[in-house]
Amino acid sequence: MKTVGKGISKIDGMSIATGKPVYTEDLAMANSLVVKLLRSPHAFAKINSIDTTIAEKLEGVECILTYKDVPKQRFSLAGQSYPEPSPYDRLILEEVVRYVGDEVAIIAAIDEKTALKAMSLIKVKYELFDPVLDFEKAIGHASIVHAENDVHCNFDIGMKKELNIVSSHKVEVGNIDEEIKKCDIVVEETYYTQANAHAMMETYRASSYLDHTGRLVIVSSTQIPFHVRRQLAKALQIPASKIRVIKPRIGGGFGGKQTSAVEIFTAIVTLKTGKPAIIIYDRKETFSCTTSRHAMRLSVRLGADSNGYIRVVDIQGLSDTGAYGEHASTVFSVVGDKTLPLYNKTTAVRFTGNVVYTNKMPAGAFRGYGATQGAYALESTINLLAEKLAMDPTEIRLMNLIKEGETCLTYNGKLLGSSTLHKCIEKGKELIGWKERYPVQQIDKNRVRAIGMAVTMQGSGIAGIDTASAEIRLNDDGNFTLLIGSTDMGTGSDTILAQMAAEILEIPIENIIVNAADTDISPYDPGSYASSTTYVTGMAVVQAAQDLKRQIIESGAKFLEVSSEEVEFDGETISMIKGEGSVRLEKLAEFLVLGTGKRQLVGNATYGSPVSPPPFIAGFAEVEIDKETGKIDLIDYVAVVDCGTVINPKLARIQVEGGIVQGIGMALYEDVKFGDKGKLLTNTFMQYKIPCRKDIGNVQVAFEESFEKTGPFGAKSIGEVVINTPAPAIAHAVYNAVGVRVTSLPITPEKVFMGMQNKINF
Amino acid sequence: MQIEVIVNLKKIKMEVDANEFLADTLRKYGILSVRKGCDTTCCGLCTVWIDDKPTLSCTTLSFRANGRKITTIEGVHKEADEFAQILVAEGAEQCGFCSPGFIMTVLAMKNELTNPTEETIVHYLTGNLCRCTGYMGQLRAIKTYLGVQ
């Protein structure tokens, strides 16, 4: 292959690296109204009165909206294909506020200072309710977070809102109780994961204006332009045809920008005033008033026989979705979907539990999407089981993990198409020095070093639901335009998709212009989430390129007055296989758009996959712990990845490194704390510590390629799977170092130190 | 109030409020590479040079820049491009939102330190956060750029 598999630089790399004005804020109209939001100081309250009269008189204030001024149609901000499985439980503004930071009024003024001044002049009187803050006490709490009767679910997701249950879920194959009795050993443990912040560097922002035909144009830093258009149409009660969503460059997303946090507020201001508007969340708003990862409690019970074969996997979960149910049921189901198939020598498996509403900031999509939480709980318990069986944790995995060509209880007879996970484990052992260094080494009197490991799987796109389209146009000059609706969040997906098109068309990647994404221009794509872009949009691009190539050959043959079978196309020239006749692509392109009876060539394809082939990763951590303080230093992290064919090794490597470091943050540093009245306390980078350069030790990355028959050039996904192993692997290493099993994230020195004193779990 | 500053070697008169920060002023005057990421001096996105020293412009009151020399990435595009080429070749820019502040710090480090060790490089850049890349690729690019092991 000429282009696929090569470490090509990103096509927008130089622009974004050198600070060119390519992001949402840079592109906003100079005279845009500045939109600010007055937010609730209370976790749960009803607005008894709201007085905006003084604020409205302030010079420069253009519009102030309260719950009285907005449509009453409930919607969901979850970036999912219609009909969304997330409940329609939101209004643009509501009389009831459900978390500290919930929106109370929208203020638009000529500048920020005026908007903030006006905000301070709005008088609100609240009737306070008893908030539901502890998610373990949400079910059956005296307060009901969503007592209104117009909440709507497109499917039965098990909502019992009078009990604060958004969704219930159960997967069970085999008889757990019977099979567990047959096991020689049973281990059980409960884990807690935190409501991590995405902490992308570009906070949430959108701008809007009316175009020359009066249509509403939204420029937004979003992963889901088409879903934004649909949500706006519903929330604002205007036809989707009156809305255009443009996605410029995005300053990071990680799933956060799969939920439409901000677009509705500028859009309604532009509709009400006719003027352009911009909203930019500051860091505190981004931390407190958007979405987080779903915090969960996961209890895992494993049963095994004395040979080390795992027979029963039983996971009981509780997930905290906060005040609104974005992605509540789907994130939760992914906990089971990405854990139960991993160990397939089982006779019974179960995943069951509830997602609950609380009066805290909403949770939503976040890289890993439930698999991360599940991997921490399951893999930690596998390590516990290995210890109880006195087995090497890598050996118990090699015995029990699903292999290529095998099935598992929850796959219902479907065979796993591709996996090199066993090789990933072997390679990882080599790179970390497992034989020499496992489990622990004493460095000096106070310091020990130890190793731990974990494995995980994810998916590639959402099987049977998310479907992407792609178009490739042969331009009049012989170059190509690739039109896609997916979102490059910085991952390099635009580049990778261009590589695929270039490979099929046998042209240099420089000959392709990539246009993404603009809902007026791009073909439909659900957006970039669920690790789908390389796999799902990639297949659409491959097939569109094949379609165009076929048309080029046909048109070339027609030009040469022979049949298609008699010519070949090498990316530059269409030539007769036998004979002298040929036509250069530029000439053909020109010919196709000049004169009468012509047709410009466009390749098209739409692709949705019936399967979601899992990428795999094996992660190995080495930590050093100071026994006097509990201080943990991560020395080394080894990640070996099976993402099928690596389309661009350079960009894939950075994806792995970035995901691992985000996982390290979750494992060791990112602590989420709420005050006793429900206010998020960790709302700046001073309190919420994401890893800096000194925190991460050395990260080593290797690939063990497999070939996924259903994927483009054999590729699977990579974006999410990479975040899942650090938490369980580091927890394992910490246990091997000092014998403390930390079961709630993050693994802080305090927990380790206190654990060493008391030898109890945290 | 009016201040007079030299921005990227050009003398400019700027109208600023007493409580206005330099990052906002520079953006107002069209220098769009300057970005804010945190409001608490934690992330380094807003780094520009004042009199050749890397400075967080999100917490520098604009009037304090009066009479001083301000350099942004637009003013050192040749050097910035040279390093960016290496960074991009390494695949170590992802979303790119932190890049201008990061690159300004890297270029300042090059001017300030001679043959730095890996530890010194990491220490110098600790205030520049990046949520995408995991820092390893950036470090590889810096070492290539500086020609150090």
Side-chain angles (χ1 to χ4, degrees):
Chain A
M1 287 190 286
K2 285 182 187 158
T3 314
V4 163
K6 301 287 184 297
I8 288 168
S9 294
K10 269 165 59 178
I11 54 178
D12 53 0
M14 284 304 287
S15 292
I16 63 173
T18 58
K20 298 294 182 290
V22 294
Y23 300 87
T24 299
E25 185 185 1
D26 308 332
L27 302 172
M29 289 199 179
N31 58 343
S32 295
L33 297 175
V34 174
V35 180
K36 291 281 168 187
L37 301 168
L38 175 66
R39 298 180 174 283
S40 167
H42 306 298
F44 197 17
K46 182 165 170 277
I47 299 167
N48 275 344
S49 71
I50 183 162
D51 183 359
T52 58
T53 47
I54 300 169
E56 273 163 357
K57 284 181 191 145
L58 197 66
E59 193 185 334
V61 172
E62 287 280 337
C63 114
I64 297 179
L65 304 172
T66 71
Y67 70 89
K68 296 166 194 163
D69 309 307
V70 300
K72 300 288 180 267
Q73 172 73 44
R74 288 200 184 266
F75 56 89
S76 170
L77 292 176
Q80 298 170 313
S81 289
Y82 182 81
E84 307 94 331
S86 294
Y88 292 1
D89 55 11
R90 280 186 184 265
L91 293 175
I92 300 174
L93 296 171
E94 202 173 342
E95 207 173 354
V96 175
V97 285
R98 297 190 177 84
Y99 71 97
V100 177
D102 210 350
E103 296 86 16
V104 172
I106 304 166
I107 301 112
I110 49 162
D111 57 28
E112 186 175 16
K113 200 180 274 181
T114 311
L116 291 173
K117 173 85 179 153
M119 191 192 292
S120 70
L121 296 172
I122 299 173
K123 292 188 178 116
V124 192
K125 285 191 180 137
Y126 296 96
E127 178 189 348
L128 302 189
F129 301 147
D130 180 24
V132 183
L133 296 176
D134 182 345
F135 80 118
E136 294 185 276
K137 293 178 183 159
I139 297 175
H141 195 284
S143 295
I144 300 170
V145 179
H146 282 273
E148 71 279 12
N149 54 20
D150 57 345
V151 171
H152 170 74
C153 295
N154 290 316
F155 305 102
D156 179 10
I157 55 171
M159 178 181 273
K160 294 188 193 82
K161 65 187 177 61
E162 63 287 356
L163 293 174
N164 290 319
I165 294 173
V166 191
S167 171
S168 294
H169 188 74
K170 186 174 187 180
V171 180
E172 185 170 8
V173 186
N175 187 325
I176 293 282
D177 294 332
E178 286 301 312
E179 294 301 322
I180 206 104
K181 282 184 208 156
K182 296 180 198 161
C183 291
D184 299 315
I185 181 163
V186 177
V187 294
E188 195 167 357
E189 187 59 86
T190 298
Y191 305 86
Y192 290 85
T193 64
Q194 73 277 48
N196 297 95
H198 306 82
M200 67 298 274
M201 285 299 127
E202 183 202 38
T203 59
Y204 294 79
R205 52 201 59 201
S207 71
S208 52
Y209 57 90
L210 298 179
D211 75 3
H212 59 286
T213 64
R215 291 170 73 230
L216 176 66
V217 183
I218 309 286
V219 180
S220 174
S221 181
T222 180
Q223 296 172 227
I224 46 157
F226 283 90
H227 294 332
V228 168
R229 183 173 67 167
R230 196 186 62 246
Q231 290 167 0
L232 287 176
K234 182 176 282 296
L236 298 167
Q237 302 274 281
I238 58 172
S241 61
K242 295 282 184 199
I243 303 171
R244 173 183 186 184
V245 180
I246 298 170
K247 170 217 69 78
R249 297 292 93 201
I250 294 195
F254 312 116
K257 292 173 182 173
Q258 193 192 343
T259 304
S260 318
V262 289
E263 293 85 349
I264 279 168
F265 302 117
T266 58
I268 195 164
V269 165
T270 293
L271 285 183
K272 296 269 183 185
T273 63
K275 296 183 180 180
I278 182 164
I279 189 163
I280 297 172
Y281 273 12
D282 63 21
R283 186 55 67 182
K284 279 190 181 174
E285 281 180 302
T286 294
F287 270 117
S288 313
C289 316
T290 58
T291 53
S292 67
R293 186 183 291 285
H294 287 81
M296 289 189 196
R297 180 190 71 200
L298 295 168
S299 300
V300 184
R301 189 161 58 136
L302 295 179
D305 65 24
S306 55
N307 297 321
Y309 284 102
I310 298 163
R311 299 305 185 194
V312 175
V313 179
D314 184 18
I315 305 175
Q316 177 89 32
L318 183 71
S319 172
D320 183 358
T321 195
Y324 299 96
E326 272 89 33
H327 301 267
S329 65
T330 42
V331 166
F332 193 62
S333 61
V334 167
V335 175
D337 292 349
K338 308 303 175 199
T339 49
L340 300 184
L342 256 179
Y343 297 94
N344 73 333
K345 311 300 179 279
T346 45
T347 51
V349 294
R350 177 166 67 185
F351 171 62
T352 179
N354 297 302
V355 191
V356 292
Y357 280 125
T358 56
N359 291 110
K360 289 185 291 189
M361 74 177 278
F366 191 154
R367 188 183 212 168
Y369 205 86
T372 316
Q373 292 94 318
Y376 169 58
L378 175 65
E379 289 300 291
S380 294
T381 319
I382 299 282
N383 288 327
L384 173 64
L385 178 67
E387 195 210 354
K388 298 283 182 211
L389 285 165
M391 285 181 72
D392 183 316
T394 60
E395 292 304 320
I396 194 168
R397 286 181 171 88
L398 291 169
M399 277 171 64
N400 284 286
L401 285 167
I402 189 165
K403 284 183 181 153
E404 200 167 288
E406 290 182 356
T407 186
C408 65
L409 292 180
T410 53
Y411 275 0
N412 197 18
K414 282 186 197 160
L415 304 181
L416 178 65
S418 60
S419 168
T420 56
L421 181 55
H422 289 71
K423 278 194 205 169
C424 292
I425 293 173
E426 297 292 358
K427 177 90 174 179
K429 284 174 78 169
E430 260 173 61
L431 290 172
I432 198 85
W434 186 266
K435 271 188 194 156
E436 308 82 56
R437 290 147 87 185
Y438 176 81
V440 63
Q441 292 172 299
Q442 194 77 30
I443 300 297
D444 57 30
K445 190 167 144 275
N446 294 321
R447 291 179 305 151
V448 284
R449 277 193 186 187
I451 296 187
M453 64 93 59
V455 301
T456 185
M457 63 182 271
Q458 197 87 31
S460 304
I462 303 177
I465 292 176
D466 281 342
T467 298
S469 293
E471 286 176 31
I472 308 180
R473 188 191 299 149
L474 174 61
N475 296 321
D476 58 323
D477 60 356
N479 284 306
F480 298 82
T481 301
L482 171 62
L483 295 152
I484 42 178
S486 59
T487 292
D488 190 330
M489 290 169 267
T491 58
S493 63
D494 284 359
T495 306
I496 284 160
L497 295 172
Q499 279 180 262
M500 293 184 191
E503 186 69 45
I504 299 287
L505 291 161
E506 301 183 63
I507 55 173
I509 191 172
E510 293 77 19
N511 292 14
I512 301 180
I513 302 153
V514 180
N515 187 299
D518 175 337
T519 57
D520 271 14
I521 296 165
S522 313
Y524 178 83
D525 191 294
S528 292
Y529 57 84
S531 297
S532 62
T533 309
T534 299
Y535 181 77
V536 181
T537 311
M539 279 303 274
V541 168
V542 164
Q543 291 179 1
Q546 286 166 339
D547 181 34
L548 180 59
K549 190 176 184 183
R550 181 184 51 75
Q551 294 180 49
I552 290 170
I553 289 169
E554 279 171 9
S555 300
K558 201 169 161 193
F559 183 89
L560 296 169
E561 297 178 332
V562 292
S563 73
S564 301
E565 290 73 37
E566 291 172 89
V567 298
E568 59 188 3
F569 173 53
D570 64 1
E572 287 181 2
T573 309
I574 301 98
S575 326
M576 285 167 63
I577 298 166
K578 290 176 188 163
E580 297 284 296
S582 71
V583 56
R584 288 187 59 77
L585 183 66
E586 297 97 294
K587 185 72 196 162
L588 181 70
E590 185 188 310
F591 170 76
L592 290 167
V593 296
L594 192 68
T596 56
K598 300 299 172 65
R599 186 168 69 91
Q600 184 174 15
L601 303 187
V602 184
N604 276 294
T606 296
Y607 184 79
S609 175
V611 291
S612 175
F616 294 95
I617 182 169
F620 296 79
E622 182 178 29
V623 300
E624 182 177 296
I625 296 187
D626 182 331
K627 292 204 278 189
E628 283 190 318
T629 60
K631 182 170 177 286
I632 311 153
D633 284 317
L634 185 63
I635 304 298
D636 207 1
Y637 201 94
V638 168
V640 189
V641 185
D642 162 23
C643 59
T645 301
V646 180
I647 303 289
N648 184 323
K650 205 161 70 180
L651 303 183
R653 181 183 188 185
I654 299 290
Q655 273 286 80
V656 183
E657 290 172 350
I660 293 294
V661 168
Q662 226 169 30
I664 291 169
M666 183 180 181
L668 290 174
Y669 307 112
E670 296 176 27
D671 210 348
V672 181
K673 293 195 169 110
F674 287 89
D676 57 6
K677 294 198 169 127
K679 182 177 188 282
L680 180 71
L681 302 176
T682 45
N683 62 358
T684 70
F685 284 130
M686 294 221 179
Q687 288 99 356
Y688 187 87
K689 195 169 154 13
I690 63 169
C692 74
R693 281 162 222 274
K694 284 186 176 173
D695 295 328
I696 55 167
N698 183 41
V699 179
Q700 297 183 61
V701 172
F703 292 92
E704 282 291 345
E705 288 188 274
S706 63
F707 189 88
E708 172 55 43
K709 275 189 285 192
T710 66
F713 303 99
K716 298 186 281 193
S717 80
I718 192 164
E720 291 186 280
V721 73
V722 290
I723 199 174
N724 297 343
T725 56
I730 291 171
H732 188 207
V734 168
Y735 176 77
N736 290 333
V738 292
V740 178
R741 215 177 284 284
V742 181
T743 54
S744 68
L745 297 177
I747 306 160
T748 60
E750 185 188 7
K751 288 177 192 170
V752 172
F753 182 79
M754 294 306 285
M756 285 166 64
Q757 305 312 304
N758 306 316
K759 291 284 179 198
I760 56 167
N761 292 341
F762 276 87
Chain B
M1 71 180 78
Q2 198 178 59
I3 58 168
E4 195 173 278
V5 287
I6 299 161
V7 180
N8 298 330
L9 301 179
K10 270 193 185 163
K11 203 175 261 189
I12 305 177
K13 286 193 173 77
M14 290 172 161
E15 197 58 49
V16 300
D17 286 341
N19 58 356
E20 191 172 316
F21 289 113
L22 187 58
D24 301 316
T25 307
L26 290 171
R27 282 197 73 85
K28 195 168 79 184
Y29 281 84
I31 315 275
L32 298 181
S33 71
V34 181
R35 298 179 189 133
K36 294 196 293 182
C38 71
D39 315 313
T40 47
T41 67
C42 297
C43 75
L45 263 68
C46 65
T47 306
V48 300
W49 299 349
I50 298 182
D51 294 340
D52 298 326
K53 287 279 175 212
T55 306
L56 297 174
S57 63
C58 77
T59 46
T60 303
L61 286 165
S62 300
F63 77 83
R64 298 195 63 168
N66 191 22
R68 302 175 75 180
K69 189 175 92 172
I70 298 165
T71 311
T72 70
I73 202 167
E74 286 90 344
V76 287
H77 69 87
K78 199 165 154 260
E79 298 90 327
D81 275 17
E82 189 195 341
F83 174 64
Q85 294 279 2
I86 297 166
L87 189 71
V88 172
E90 189 62 54
E93 90 300 353
Q94 277 214 324
C95 81
F97 204 72
C98 69
S99 292
F102 167 67
I103 291 181
M104 290 309 285
T105 315
V106 170
L107 298 183
M109 178 176 68
K110 192 188 179 204
N111 292 334
E112 223 173 279
L113 306 180
T114 313
N115 210 14
T117 62
E118 189 171 305
E119 202 180 351
T120 324
I121 294 169
V122 166
H123 181 71
Y124 195 100
L125 288 161
T126 301
N128 289 83
L129 294 180
C130 165
R131 187 62 155 171
C132 294
T133 64
Y135 305 117
M136 302 299 294
Q138 290 183 346
L139 184 62
R140 290 192 292 273
I142 293 166
K143 284 159 79 174
T144 306
Y145 175 62
L146 298 177
V148 297
Q149 287 306 304

